[in-house]
Amino acid sequence: EIKEWLKTSEFGEILNQIAEELPIYGSVFLEKTPKGASVVDIRRIICDQSAECIDDSRFITTIHYMTPAELRETGWDNVEEVIAMFGNKQAPKPFEDNRGDVNMQLSTPFIKVHKRYGEVPKKWLKGTSDEMVKSLFIVAGVEERVMNDKNQAIGEKGVVLFKSEWKKEWPFRDFYYTKSKGRLLGIGVIEMLLDTQVRINELKNQKRISMEISTIHLFQTKDKQIVRNVLTDLENGDVMLSPNGIEPVANEERNLSAFQDEEQSYLAQADKLTFAYQAIRGETPPSSTPLGTTQIVTAQSSSVFGFKRENFALALRDFFNEFVMPQALKDLDEEHIMRFAGSAAELLKIDQAASEV
């Protein structure tokens, strides 16, 4: 039933999204929601980057862009005040197109909302105590400032939509492709191959420039009376008289083999860093490659990716126990009828066990 439920619920999409984004960015963060969980946009989360994992972060802030209708559905405080103050300012501004006409982009405005989990003095919530307690603050307009006549900031315009003490663990879970000491974010394939990609781009640009030069046909001669350009000054069948002769300038590319060797060396380095060899990618290796080499490469790659799958599965265990199962039990809370077949003595044992429970 859990398997069938996952196919029809949003958790199936979340699992696919985790598996797709994890190798690319190196990190995936999940936030617990009333309906289960959602994948956090890695560009819109602020936390302690020196923490080992997101559970150890001293604070976690997520940024959301919400419409007025979405804000009204939350039931938070001061919603109408926030819509009146920040609703129009976040709307797209008019722009001029190439013809000089002004086109207005009229649509529902987005309001920027910060949701922050972290420790604050208890008096910020209630009372007068300076004791630091875990809390949740939801604020709109954090970046807005009150300016004086000299364009100096003298105050803040932020409006608190919700605040409460938080007595549980942070409602986030994290997944990593490759971890590095001293940083929270993991290392993905893009970051892993960044230097290699930069060098490949340089080689391709250098090769493109050299090919552009080699496509130009140039001629040289010691005679000053000869035509300046054979393309524009000559016609088909013309005869040129030059005692010293006319010779083509040798500007063809003579270093293509060096470019190819350099590219192959960096592509091989990319395969070594990612263990994505030809046999793993499904490509046919060169005919000169020994069978033993292919088998060794396949075994190494399989063990590396098997290790990463194991780490991913261990992280999924906590995700299932804390995020998936509670929601699944709510949705699957129905009566079940089971039929037991057996002898009278066996059925009696089942009845006694059920009565004891």
Side-chain angles (χ1 to χ4, degrees):
E1 283 186 287
I2 291 292
K3 186 176 181 180
E4 294 299 325
W5 176 81
L6 285 172
K7 293 181 179 179
T8 57
S9 69
E10 63 178 5
F11 284 104
E13 299 177 359
I14 291 176
L15 290 176
N16 291 338
Q17 188 175 356
I18 295 174
E20 183 177 2
E21 294 185 2
L22 191 61
I24 298 176
Y25 304 108
S27 304
V28 173
F29 300 106
L30 289 182
E31 181 180 8
K32 186 172 178 58
T33 62
K35 295 183 179 180
S38 62
V39 178
V40 181
D41 190 339
I42 198 171
R43 301 167 300 175
R44 297 175 180 172
I45 183 170
I46 306 169
C47 49
D48 188 357
Q49 291 300 312
S50 62
E52 184 68 21
C53 60
I54 200 167
D55 290 338
D56 300 333
S57 179
R58 297 168 297 165
F59 58 90
I60 303 173
T61 302
T62 56
I63 301 174
H64 306 267
Y65 291 89
M66 305 179 68
T67 63
E70 292 174 341
L71 282 174
R72 291 188 177 101
E73 292 176 356
T74 59
W76 295 334
D77 301 330
N78 307 319
V79 170
E80 296 301 330
E81 178 184 354
V82 167
I83 294 174
M85 291 180 61
F86 310 112
N88 294 328
K89 292 184 179 180
Q90 300 294 338
K93 298 179 180 180
F95 68 95
E96 293 186 1
D97 59 15
N98 296 330
R99 297 174 298 175
D101 299 330
V102 176
N103 297 324
M104 294 295 294
Q105 291 181 326
L106 299 179
S107 181
T108 304
F110 281 117
I111 300 173
K112 194 173 183 179
V113 177
H114 287 72
K115 182 189 295 184
R116 183 185 188 276
Y117 298 87
E119 294 187 358
V120 300
K122 195 171 185 178
K123 62 183 179 182
W124 288 15
L125 301 170
K126 58 181 179 180
T128 58
S129 175
D130 291 329
E131 178 188 0
M132 302 296 289
V133 295
K134 285 185 175 182
S135 65
L136 167 61
F137 270 79
I138 302 177
V139 185
V142 172
E143 299 170 350
E144 296 290 332
R145 298 291 184 266
V146 179
M147 312 300 290
N148 59 13
D149 297 337
K150 298 181 180 179
N151 200 26
Q152 297 175 343
I154 58 175
E156 299 178 351
K157 290 185 179 180
V159 178
V160 177
L161 294 169
F162 179 83
K163 61 179 180 179
S164 174
E165 188 174 351
W166 191 267
K167 298 183 179 180
K168 299 178 292 184
E169 295 181 353
W170 304 138
F172 292 89
R173 286 295 176 269
D174 45 7
F175 299 85
Y176 300 101
Y177 185 74
T178 300
K179 282 289 291 181
S180 178
K181 288 292 185 181
R183 56 179 279 182
L184 175 64
L185 292 178
I187 300 176
V189 175
I190 292 179
E191 182 180 359
M192 192 182 302
L193 299 181
L194 183 59
D195 294 334
T196 302
Q197 185 66 59
V198 170
R199 180 54 182 155
I200 290 293
N201 293 344
E202 292 177 352
L203 290 173
K204 292 296 184 181
N205 289 329
Q206 293 171 358
K207 188 176 180 180
R208 174 182 57 81
I209 295 173
S210 64
M211 292 179 65
E212 288 180 358
I213 296 176
S214 63
T215 56
I216 301 175
H217 294 279
L218 301 176
F219 301 90
Q220 61 183 354
T221 180
K222 295 180 180 180
D223 297 331
K224 297 182 180 180
Q225 303 299 326
I226 203 67
V227 297
R228 296 291 300 172
N229 193 319
V230 297
L231 294 178
T232 59
D233 298 343
L234 295 178
E235 295 182 358
N236 189 20
D238 285 346
V239 177
M240 293 185 296
L241 299 177
S242 176
N244 296 317
I246 300 175
E247 299 177 355
V249 177
N251 63 334
E252 65 273 5
E253 176 57 55
R254 304 179 182 180
N255 205 30
L256 290 177
S257 59
F259 277 111
Q260 185 175 3
D261 293 341
E262 187 78 357
E263 291 176 7
Q264 292 300 324
S265 65
Y266 274 93
L267 292 177
Q269 177 68 9
D271 290 344
K272 292 179 181 179
L273 292 174
T274 59
F275 289 89
Y277 296 101
Q278 292 175 328
I280 300 299
R281 298 196 299 264
E283 300 178 6
T284 303
S287 58
S288 59
T289 304
L291 177 61
T293 302
T294 303
Q295 292 176 340
I296 293 174
V297 167
T298 303
Q300 289 178 343
S301 301
S302 300
S303 61
V304 169
F305 290 117
F307 176 73
K308 293 186 179 298
R309 281 196 299 267
E310 182 180 359
N311 290 335
F312 182 53
L314 293 175
L316 279 180
R317 180 183 61 186
D318 295 335
F319 165 69
F320 265 89
N321 292 339
E322 300 181 20
F323 287 21
V324 178
M325 291 305 297
Q327 185 65 29
L329 293 177
K330 293 180 182 179
D331 296 341
L332 299 177
D333 189 12
E334 299 177 355
E335 293 184 356
H336 292 70
I337 299 177
M338 304 181 66
R339 183 181 300 274
F340 295 95
S343 63
E346 293 171 343
L347 295 178
L348 181 61
K349 291 180 180 179
I350 294 178
D351 292 339
Q352 291 176 351
S355 62
E356 291 177 358
V357 172

